[in-house]
Amino acid sequence: MTLNDGAHRIPSLSSYVRGKDVESGQWVYVLSARAVLDDSFASLSLKRKLESGTLSPADAPEGVVVGRVAVAEPETVEDALDAAAEATKTWRAAPLSTRFDGWMELLRRTVTEHRDELVHLLMLEGHPQELAQWEISGMLELSRKESADYLRGQLWQEFSVDGRRNIIRRQADGVVCVTPPANAPLVSALLGTMCLPGGNAVVVRAPRTAPYGVTYALRHLIVPILDELGAPPGLLNIVCGHPGPMLDTWINSPLVDDIMYFGDVPSGLKLERRCVEAGKKPILELAGNDVVVVWKDADLDRAADALAESFYGSGQLCMIPNQAVVHPAVADDLIERLTERALALRPGYPDEDGVLLSPVLRHDKFNQFLTDAVDGGATLVTGGHGMQLDGTRDSSGFFLEPTVLRVEGLAGARDLDAVKHETFFPLLPVIVPAPADDDALLDDLIEFVNTNLYGLRNSVWAQDPSVIDRFVAETVTGGLLKVNDSHIAFTAPLPSHGGTGLTGGAFGEANYPLLRTTHLQGISIVASGSSRPSAKDGHDAHS
């Protein structure tokens, strides 16, 4: 639907429930990233006036409003759950050839054919173009043949034992509610739709802060896939609203089975407790605090490239490097190379080539973490200031300089907040252990990784096979391990999300949503007319 007010054409998206668009009397207006960067005060004022109804969309400056999304009424939110509960009863019984094979094929085709469109939607959210391309490549990796073959094997395995047909399968949990984060709502919502081939129905909350990309992509790209597969209406529902009231509705509803939550650790762990108390499965995607170990024989140029990924999106990504632990023999050389790369990064509009830095709306936590680190003995190597769109240093600018800290010694490193916790801005501590015997030092480095409170991804850069083997064998935290590879690239044979510790909560692990939102069932079938089974048959067969 498009609002044509005689002056401008504003794309308008409604809630989507039971296979139908549902109107409401309230809208959230989405403004272009360029307009916000050029004049944030005027843009915020315009947005408030439009949403309060004190300004007509016809009076908005042309090209500033990119779209609007309807805010779901409470009864629409409730109806979405009813619709999902009805739909999953049919969908979970659909053959795997339809709900899995057909889905994976059509998803990959759709993402490939609409890649440019998805990149555009991500840029509307403020993601730099190059970063948006990387995010879409992650969706393609989730649907690649190797991943699909593994997942299908997990969903259904069948064999014959003593004349019985034995099946091990994963059965859908039922209704899965997904609440994506404000910083990356579109790709997180797409990840949430990977619950569908497991037989689940999904309700997605489009966040009020950035609802347009989520609602558009699901409504116009994912819904047609389900239509082509013959999925029942209500299998995918999209509602925009405030997180608090909607989460309360989901927690209190007997229709909801799982809640997939993206967000900060305190809020996520609180939700986890509420879910468990309500008998629902919490699937958490919380903070990351990834460690990269650089050994003395590492390829330093490639390692420095990987560490510079810490600054992509201005550090506002969960799976980037958050800290490096570097062998003292090569620390000076590596830090010099990393500094060169940090200085080469520049701010800019999301649609400009070569831009990797995103705006950081609040700088208070960055300044707090930086001050704590320097007061605790860390050395500021480069960065440490706010800057304007043109790169001029300015504490009130939208951007932050990529910042490198040097931290001496492992012993007190975690006393610094910038090491102990996720930073979520462009601040990378490089920890340099005191010189020691290599065997003892490697012991300490692996212990340091394993005692991290978080666990999303961990990396090592080394050439010595014995060092690599020990790191792989003994690193127990995280959902992914990378060896001599880009830290953020989608190259490991598992998804980008999911982890241990504070990253994934008490039930955390690598997150294929299809597996996390299903449960195992063992089935034994005796053919009609066979001899009557006995309770001791299984015992005799396996004794």
Side-chain angles (χ1 to χ4, degrees):
M1 182 178 68
T2 301
L3 171 69
N4 190 346
D5 54 27
H8 309 314
R9 294 174 58 84
I10 299 178
S12 302
L13 299 171
S14 304
S15 299
Y16 186 75
V17 177
R18 295 185 183 276
K20 299 178 181 179
D21 296 311
V22 182
E23 302 294 335
S24 80
Q26 186 180 358
W27 297 94
V28 174
Y29 285 81
V30 180
L31 309 185
S32 76
R34 275 184 170 264
V36 174
L37 288 174
D38 286 338
D39 194 334
S40 59
F41 180 81
S43 297
L44 181 59
S45 177
L46 173 64
K47 180 177 168 66
R48 285 175 175 167
K49 290 177 181 178
L50 288 169
E51 293 177 0
S52 67
T54 58
L55 180 71
S56 167
D59 297 325
E62 189 169 1
V64 172
V65 179
V66 298
R68 64 178 188 171
V69 176
V71 178
E73 303 286 355
E75 55 268 26
T76 303
V77 176
E78 293 279 5
D79 192 41
L81 300 181
D82 289 333
E86 294 170 16
T88 190
K89 293 176 184 177
T90 303
W91 182 245
R92 66 191 176 198
L96 286 179
S97 58
T98 297
R99 68 172 166 87
F100 182 81
D101 299 338
W103 163 268
M104 297 296 276
E105 178 184 348
L106 290 174
L107 177 69
R108 187 169 187 84
R109 182 194 309 169
T110 297
V111 173
T112 301
E113 291 177 354
H114 294 272
R115 185 167 189 152
D116 291 344
E117 191 173 3
L118 288 166
V119 168
H120 173 70
L121 291 170
L122 287 168
M123 289 192 293
L124 292 180
E125 292 181 356
H127 298 226
Q129 182 175 4
E130 188 172 333
L131 191 61
Q133 294 279 6
W134 164 76
E135 291 175 282
I136 298 306
S137 72
M139 281 306 300
L140 290 172
E141 286 302 307
L142 280 177
S143 58
R144 71 179 181 176
K145 182 181 184 303
E146 295 83 358
S147 298
D149 289 347
Y150 168 76
L151 289 172
R152 204 184 200 286
Q154 294 294 305
L155 287 175
W156 187 282
Q157 295 187 34
E158 186 171 337
F159 42 91
S160 178
V161 177
D162 299 329
R164 291 173 171 82
R165 181 185 175 200
N166 280 186
I167 300 168
I168 300 174
R169 71 175 182 186
R170 298 195 71 89
Q171 182 63 278
D173 289 344
V175 175
V176 181
C177 294
V178 180
T179 178
N183 67 297
L186 170 52
V187 290
S188 301
L190 289 175
L191 181 69
T193 65
M194 290 297 291
C195 305
L196 293 167
N200 300 288
V202 174
V203 178
V204 178
R205 182 190 75 87
R208 284 185 58 119
T209 51
Y212 190 79
V214 171
T215 308
Y216 183 94
L218 297 186
R219 176 67 183 86
H220 293 291
L221 301 183
I222 301 302
V223 167
I225 293 176
L226 297 176
D227 289 343
E228 186 168 344
L229 294 175
L235 192 66
L236 174 61
N237 305 275
I238 313 156
V239 286
C240 174
H242 289 292
M246 203 169 295
L247 285 171
D248 288 343
T249 298
W250 294 350
I251 288 285
N252 295 326
S253 173
L255 301 175
V256 174
D257 297 283
D258 302 347
I259 296 179
M260 188 174 184
Y261 176 87
F262 298 75
D264 63 87
V265 168
S267 299
L269 296 185
K270 181 179 178 181
L271 178 68
E272 179 180 57
R273 291 191 293 271
R274 294 181 65 195
C275 284
V276 172
E277 289 171 356
K280 304 180 192 307
K281 184 188 291 184
I283 302 167
L284 304 182
E285 294 291 346
L286 308 180
N289 193 19
D290 296 5
V291 182
V292 179
V293 173
V294 182
W295 197 243
K296 65 181 182 182
D297 61 349
D299 182 327
L300 296 186
D301 277 324
R302 292 183 63 209
D305 288 340
L307 288 177
E309 294 167 354
S310 172
F311 307 126
Y312 288 15
S314 292
Q316 298 172 113
L317 301 166
C318 60
M319 72 281 290
I320 59 169
N322 286 97
Q323 54 192 286
V325 184
V326 183
H327 195 291
V330 295
D332 291 345
D333 195 354
L334 180 70
I335 290 173
E336 181 179 348
R337 297 172 197 234
L338 175 60
T339 300
E340 292 174 358
R341 287 157 175 78
L343 290 171
L345 295 173
R346 63 179 183 84
Y349 294 109
D351 54 357
E352 289 182 334
D353 291 336
V355 172
L356 287 168
L357 300 180
S358 301
V360 181
L361 298 183
R362 296 186 59 181
H363 295 185
D364 49 345
K365 267 202 159 185
F366 169 80
N367 294 321
Q368 175 187 326
F369 273 56
L370 180 58
T371 299
D372 173 77
V374 173
D375 289 348
T379 301
L380 176 61
V381 177
T382 188
H385 298 271
M387 58 179 170
Q388 294 284 2
L389 188 63
D390 62 1
T392 304
R393 278 188 173 179
D394 186 341
S395 60
S396 63
F398 261 121
F399 294 86
L400 288 167
E401 294 177 336
T403 300
V404 178
L405 292 171
R406 178 173 179 141
V407 179
E408 300 293 345
L410 288 175
R414 289 224 176 97
D415 293 336
L416 308 180
D417 288 339
V419 176
K420 187 175 183 179
H421 295 295
E422 182 190 50
T423 51
F424 221 61
F425 31 75
L427 174 64
L428 179 66
V430 178
I431 304 160
V432 184
D437 173 79
D438 277 350
D439 287 338
L441 183 57
L442 186 57
D443 286 340
D444 291 343
L445 296 191
I446 293 174
E447 176 70 9
F448 187 82
V449 173
N450 282 335
T451 54
N452 186 3
L453 296 175
Y454 303 76
L456 183 56
R457 298 182 174 199
N458 291 306
S459 294
V460 66
W461 286 86
Q463 300 300 320
D464 187 338
S466 65
V467 172
I468 294 171
D469 289 346
R470 280 200 57 196
F471 183 86
V472 171
E474 299 177 26
T475 300
V476 297
T477 59
L480 290 179
L481 298 182
K482 306 295 286 290
V483 178
N484 295 327
D485 197 0
S486 159
H487 190 83
I488 67 172
F490 299 104
T491 51
L494 273 174
S496 60
H497 290 73
T500 57
L502 296 181
T503 297
F507 309 99
E509 60 176 322
N511 186 9
Y512 268 121
L514 181 152
L515 299 183
R516 296 287 300 280
T517 57
T518 55
H519 52 274
L520 281 171
Q521 286 184 332
I523 303 170
S524 176
I525 302 174
V526 177
S528 177
S530 299
S531 59
R532 191 172 71 177
S534 168
K536 66 179 183 179
D537 285 354
H539 172 75
D540 291 343
H542 296 95
S543 60

